[in-house]
Amino acid sequence: MREELKALLIEFGPVRKSYHPEQPFVRLARDGFWEVDAVSGMSAPKDKKLVLTHAAGGFSDEAPNLLQGDRALIYELAHGVLEEHFPDTMHEDILERVGLNQLVFKKKPRDPQFRERILRAYEYCCAVCGFNVRLGNHLVAVEAAHIMASGRRTGCGTSRRRRWRRAIR
């Protein structure tokens, strides 16, 4: 779980010299929905301390009962976190990456590797104009787009600017 969270921080978080997946694990405990044991008295819990104390985290006792069957609450919580910590342009990608887009929006299941496969195939560039910009480890404004070609679904790399133009027309 630690490596998965670190990968999410690298992909969607600000560029840093080092990434600390223990921070969201611990900071979520402030909301009353998530609990972490073995952190009381620690002013700034670090990964090593959490491992040494065998810290465990999870939803509070009430949380599963509140969430079960309440898609509106799940949506509200997920979007609250997104609105507070991430730009709008990242919301859909984050929800898809963590598997909440299907749960919240009832969309058809998507291939979780689609984005990476398409971007790798197009060498992380827009297939139309060759646009390719990175900020640290983050690919900026290039995404994998679903397209219909000769009656079958496929994909291509496209810059967000080109995608927005198509949506406006």
Side-chain angles (χ1 to χ4, degrees), residues 11-168:
E11 185 174 353
F12 298 111
V15 176
R16 300 175 185 236
K17 289 181 183 177
S18 61
Y19 295 87
H20 297 277
E22 71 276 9
Q23 292 302 312
F25 177 79
V26 173
R27 288 181 183 177
L28 282 171
R30 296 178 189 155
D31 68 8
F33 226 67
W34 180 262
E35 295 174 344
V36 180
D37 64 2
V39 295
S40 61
M42 291 187 203
S43 59
K46 297 290 183 207
D47 194 38
K48 188 174 183 177
K49 285 183 183 177
L50 293 168
V51 171
L52 288 174
T53 59
H54 303 288
F59 286 119
S60 65
D61 291 338
E62 303 84 26
N65 293 333
L66 290 170
L67 293 172
Q68 190 143 6
D70 191 344
R71 291 187 186 279
L73 179 58
I74 295 168
Y75 179 89
E76 183 180 331
L77 288 170
H79 281 277
V81 169
L82 291 172
E83 290 293 326
E84 188 172 333
H85 299 287
F86 300 96
D88 293 347
T89 55
M90 294 179 126
H91 292 187
E92 189 175 329
D93 291 338
I94 293 170
L95 288 170
E96 185 171 331
R97 182 77 154 63
V98 299
L100 282 179
N101 64 328
Q102 298 165 8
L103 180 66
V104 175
F105 299 114
K106 287 190 177 182
K107 290 183 179 178
K108 288 183 2 182
R110 289 189 171 188
D111 178 357
Q113 270 66 52
F114 173 83
R115 180 178 187 271
E116 184 60 30
R117 261 195 341 266
I118 295 300
L119 292 176
R120 193 175 329 117
Y122 286 90
E123 300 179 327
Y124 301 90
C125 297
C126 176
V128 178
C129 66
F131 184 80
N132 176 353
V133 174
R134 288 185 176 272
L135 268 166
N137 294 326
H138 300 280
L139 186 61
V140 178
V142 176
E143 57 191 24
H146 291 272
I147 60 170
M148 290 292 286
S150 302
R152 75 182 185 103
R153 291 186 75 94
T154 187
C156 76
T158 181
S159 69
R160 289 199 172 149
R161 183 173 167 219
R162 294 206 179 277
R163 194 165 187 181
W164 289 335
R165 274 193 191 155
R166 285 196 318 272
I168 292 169

